[in-house]
Amino acid sequence: MIDLRSDTVTVPTEGMRAAMARAEVGDDVYGEDPTTRELEEKAAALMGMEAALFVPSGTMGNQIAIACHTRPGQEVIVEATSHIYNVEMATMARFSGVQPRVIWGERGVFSAEQLAAALRPDLYYLAPTGLVCLENTHNAAGGRIWPLSAAREILEVAHSRGIPVHLDGARILNAQVATGIPARELVRGFDSVMFCLSKGLGCPVGSLLCGSREFISEARRVRKAMGGGMRQTGILAAAGLYALEHHIDRLAEDHENARLLAEGLSQIPGLAVWPPETNIVVFEIVEGPSAQELCARLKANGVLASPAAAGTDPRKIRMVTHLGISREDISRTVDLVARELRGQSM
Ligand SMILES: *Cc1c(COP(=O)(O)O)cnc(C)c1O
């Protein structure tokens, strides 16, 4: 199977498994796991932040950040197609007692002006804005990179009102590799950032939440409260350390494969392809079967892809490149899609 559903399907490489087997471990709830400590220090340095916390998933990292930055009764500003708003259930309401307020961006990205207009005036009967969340790269927008200057303008508007800004940076390292701008520059000024080890970096489990020392010590308490205090996490942290050393620069291959995939697909009549900026290709079937139907036909021929936006858009398909996908897989996929769509029009 050529599995293009997500970069979460990556499995540990030989080298990563060897590093996991060798990991020195201890009880992390007692703060005694040396490998986890090392990973947290490396992650904090990578993001240019004071401290970091290893968490089981990106969702938990985002939700801990929301819990730490807000008080019940506040609003959290999110982009309408963001991961936090769309595919983390209503967790901010469930665990933090806050409600989302959405801004529709232009393919996932909103402006400082839009943010300024969405901030509530200081009237006692309005819910105060407690937090702003951005997403870089933006998953549903096809791995789009949030332009740095636009992000900085947003930080300025939010901070001028005393409102913190969290970055859902699940794939921030893809943005680093694609732009050549170090992640610590891309996240400078954010009050916290979460990034995933379990996506393109190829680890089996784990994400890191980064921020100030004070923020992370509160985050550690919230993680425990959510049931995320784990014991000999060094086994998992070793995979993370291995990935930070060996799997960042190679993301460029995934981006190149995404570019080739998009180029190939855009030659096929009936498809409109969003030009990819990183490792996610989204395309629309302008003429032909529904996304679900095409995905089913591809699956029958050994290629897995997902209807985009968690299936809410019946005409869009998402394909994600990662370390389990070769250049040959890309050409086979393009050929197969072309064949299936030709079959349709005959
Ligand atoms: C995958 C993802 C997450 C959540 O990560 P999980 O580990 O799957 O919980 C958060 N934000 C974005 C943008 C993602 O793509």
Side-chain angles (χ1 to χ4, degrees):
M1 279 288 184
I2 297 173
D3 196 345
L4 294 161
R5 287 172 302 169
S6 175
D7 45 12
T8 56
V9 303
T10 46
V11 295
T13 57
E14 288 292 317
M16 183 178 281
R17 282 177 188 266
M20 294 171 78
R22 279 196 306 269
E24 204 185 319
V25 297
D27 189 327
D28 187 55
V29 172
Y30 290 135
E32 291 173 1
D33 189 285
T35 311
T36 303
R37 276 302 79 67
E38 190 186 340
L39 174 63
E40 290 173 341
E41 278 162 24
K42 285 241 160 71
L46 187 64
M47 295 297 143
M49 301 225 169
E50 283 176 5
L53 181 70
F54 182 72
V55 290
S57 69
T59 300
M60 190 188 280
N62 282 335
Q63 295 301 328
I64 291 172
I66 292 171
C68 290
H69 285 304
T70 62
R71 279 181 291 108
Q74 291 185 324
E75 281 185 343
V76 173
I77 294 197
V78 288
E79 201 279 323
T81 60
S82 65
H83 193 282
I84 288 178
Y85 181 55
N86 289 281
V87 274
E88 299 186 13
M89 297 141 316
T91 305
M92 70 168 74
R94 179 184 292 227
F95 291 148
S96 299
V98 292
Q99 73 178 3
R101 181 167 165 84
V102 304
I103 298 179
W104 278 95
E106 169 78 33
R107 222 175 250 184
V109 171
F110 59 75
S111 66
E113 292 71 35
Q114 283 178 289
L115 173 64
L119 295 178
R120 299 292 203 183
D122 187 14
L123 292 169
Y124 82 90
Y125 49 82
L126 299 179
T129 306
L131 178 67
V132 176
C133 297
L134 306 189
E135 185 174 316
N136 193 12
T137 67
H138 195 301
N139 184 340
R144 178 150 187 221
I145 297 162
W146 201 296
L148 187 53
S149 56
R152 293 210 166 136
E153 284 168 29
I154 284 168
L155 287 166
E156 212 174 292
V157 168
H159 288 162
S160 72
R161 296 274 299 264
I163 300 166
V165 185
H166 168 69
L167 182 67
D168 177 349
R171 295 186 183 78
I172 191 67
L173 291 164
N174 290 85
Q176 164 177 305
V177 169
T179 58
I181 303 170
R184 64 178 178 280
E185 275 304 305
L186 296 172
V187 310
R188 188 155 56 82
F190 283 86
D191 298 273
S192 54
V193 57
M194 181 284 291
F195 72 94
C196 292
L197 297 169
S198 55
K199 308 241 160 118
L201 293 180
C203 295
V205 174
S207 293
L208 286 137
L209 179 60
C210 311
S212 69
R213 224 165 260 119
E214 193 188 348
F215 171 83
I216 290 299
S217 74
E218 179 60 14
R220 197 176 295 280
R221 296 167 63 86
V222 175
R223 180 186 69 175
K224 185 74 174 128
M226 288 184 178
M230 300 178 291
R231 304 296 175 171
Q232 283 72 29
T233 45
I235 300 274
L236 300 170
L241 285 166
Y242 183 90
L244 295 186
E245 195 162 323
H246 297 99
H247 288 178
I248 296 180
D249 293 340
R250 67 147 306 287
L251 292 171
E253 283 172 44
D254 302 342
H255 299 170
E256 176 62 6
N257 280 336
R259 195 186 63 73
L260 289 169
L261 177 62
E263 205 174 272
L265 292 172
S266 63
Q267 310 290 315
I268 301 172
L271 297 185
V273 185
W274 295 0
E277 295 185 16
T278 52
N279 69 327
I280 301 178
V281 177
V282 173
F283 62 95
E284 191 175 347
I285 307 162
V286 182
E287 218 186 299
S290 71
Q292 205 169 11
E293 201 183 320
L294 182 56
C295 286
R297 287 200 225 154
L298 296 178
K299 185 176 176 184
N301 287 283
V303 172
L304 297 175
S306 326
T312 54
D313 188 331
R315 308 226 57 92
K316 286 199 189 91
I317 289 182
R318 188 185 81 150
M319 291 182 170
V320 185
T321 57
H322 52 77
L323 56 76
I325 296 296
S326 65
R327 188 170 290 212
E328 196 195 332
D329 294 335
I330 297 298
S331 37
R332 275 183 53 199
T333 300
V334 172
D335 290 348
L336 181 63
V337 174
R339 198 181 81 195
E340 289 301 325
L341 287 179
R342 258 199 314 278
Q344 172 70 19
S345 61
M346 282 191 306

